[in-house]
Amino acid sequence: YRGHKLVVLFEGRDAAGKGGSIKRFIEHLNPRGASVVALTVPSVRETGEWYFQRYVRHLPTRGEIRFFDRSWYNRAGVERVMGYCTDDEYEEFMRAVPEFERMLINSDTTLVKLWFSVSRREQITRFTVRRIDPIRQWKLSSTDVASLDLWSEYTAAKNAMFERTSTDDAPWTIIRSNDKKRGRLNAMRHVLNVLPYEGKDPNLDLTPDPLLVGSPDQILLDADARDVVDDQDA
């Protein structure tokens, strides 16, 4: 909506459908105001900066949208599990991130944090397809392959992240995306549902499917009840 700033974070398991979802989000938006931020490994200079500094450079101004294909939460996930940060750096991040996000929100920024969930079985299937498909091979990194043997470690890191960073100001929303298309559509419905944009039709029901979209507590309870055999992530 006019004059506002929107930041949408796309996080989740490797091969959970984040990139494809971002593509669908952005394909009909004006590229002058909506863009994707997908940062690579930090440079030598960036490793010496304040951790959030490289992300702040890409935040939107009034009337803009930024979709982050992975975000500052790298520190709570892959950096934590793979040992790319120290324990002190991790603890400082977990302490500081709620304050950082509160500052964003208080500056007229809407922050939406999406976590794309996929079962271990489905993740293995998608990695296998990437390995044998010459068009998709570029999407399979060494970190992706390593994540297959670190499922439990990533689960523990994810749960700690939800517990310490899903706040009233900036809650996490989980998107169950074993079915990619349904996951994308419901992610879009969720974002449209939370935004009070101009011209919103009050008669149009944009409520996402509660079996696919919800808070960490809601989805965890549902996963425990329904998907133990499938080893469903949440």
Side-chain angles (χ1 to χ4, degrees):
Y1 41 107
R2 295 183 182 178
H4 206 72
K5 296 167 280 189
L6 174 63
V7 173
V8 185
L9 309 186
F10 289 76
E11 293 286 350
R13 295 280 188 178
D14 293 319
K18 299 180 294 296
S21 296
I22 293 172
K23 182 178 179 180
R24 295 337 186 266
F25 264 86
I26 204 167
E27 62 183 340
H28 297 301
L29 296 179
N30 188 335
R32 292 186 178 89
S35 60
V36 180
V37 180
L39 301 184
T40 57
V41 176
S43 66
V44 174
R45 176 180 174 80
E46 287 171 332
T47 58
E49 296 174 344
W50 175 49
Y51 177 73
F52 295 101
Q53 191 167 335
R54 68 196 298 251
Y55 298 100
V56 169
R57 295 190 188 103
H58 299 277
L59 291 174
T61 188
R62 294 176 187 169
E64 291 185 343
I65 305 172
R66 292 291 180 272
F67 298 96
F68 280 80
D69 186 352
R70 296 210 178 272
S71 67
W72 43 89
Y73 280 100
N74 273 341
R75 177 137 295 177
V78 64
E79 289 190 21
R80 175 64 169 173
V81 174
M82 300 300 291
Y84 297 156
C85 66
T86 67
D87 289 345
D88 288 344
E89 288 170 335
Y90 169 79
E91 286 299 330
E92 174 57 19
F93 169 81
M94 297 294 268
R95 182 202 65 78
V97 70
E99 297 180 11
F100 172 69
E101 293 175 350
R102 196 173 299 115
M103 291 170 65
L104 291 182
I105 294 164
N106 289 341
S107 69
D108 294 325
T109 300
T110 295
L111 176 62
V112 180
K113 303 192 303 191
L114 304 178
W115 174 273
F116 283 75
S117 160
V118 67
S119 70
R120 189 174 191 179
R121 184 178 302 175
E122 180 63 20
Q123 184 189 59
I124 292 172
T125 298
R126 293 178 187 179
F127 278 168
T128 301
V129 171
R130 289 182 180 183
R131 183 178 288 113
I132 64 177
D133 187 343
I135 296 176
R136 302 184 190 180
Q137 283 180 352
W138 64 271
K139 299 177 73 174
L140 189 63
S141 69
S142 57
T143 301
D144 292 337
V145 175
S147 70
L148 287 173
D149 295 325
L150 296 169
W151 180 271
S152 297
E153 288 82 355
Y154 273 103
T155 298
K158 171 203 67 178
N159 290 339
M161 182 187 75
F162 288 155
E163 182 177 352
R164 298 177 64 177
T165 68
S166 191
T167 63
D168 291 338
D169 294 311
W172 278 103
T173 298
I174 295 179
I175 311 294
R176 298 179 72 178
S177 58
N178 267 11
D179 184 320
K180 287 184 179 181
K181 185 174 182 180
R182 292 177 67 200
R184 293 166 185 164
L185 288 174
N186 278 276
M188 291 179 182
R189 291 172 71 93
H190 170 71
V191 173
L192 291 172
N193 195 44
V194 300
L195 291 178
Y197 55 88
E198 189 174 311
K200 190 172 186 176
D201 185 351
N203 298 315
L204 186 62
D205 184 11
L206 294 171
T207 305
D209 186 340
L211 295 179
L212 299 179
V213 179
S215 69
D217 288 342
Q218 291 170 327
I219 298 298
L220 279 170
L221 288 172
D222 185 61
D224 289 342
R226 293 164 50 86
D227 293 305
V228 174
V229 173
D230 276 348
D231 194 14
Q232 170 69 35
D233 180 38

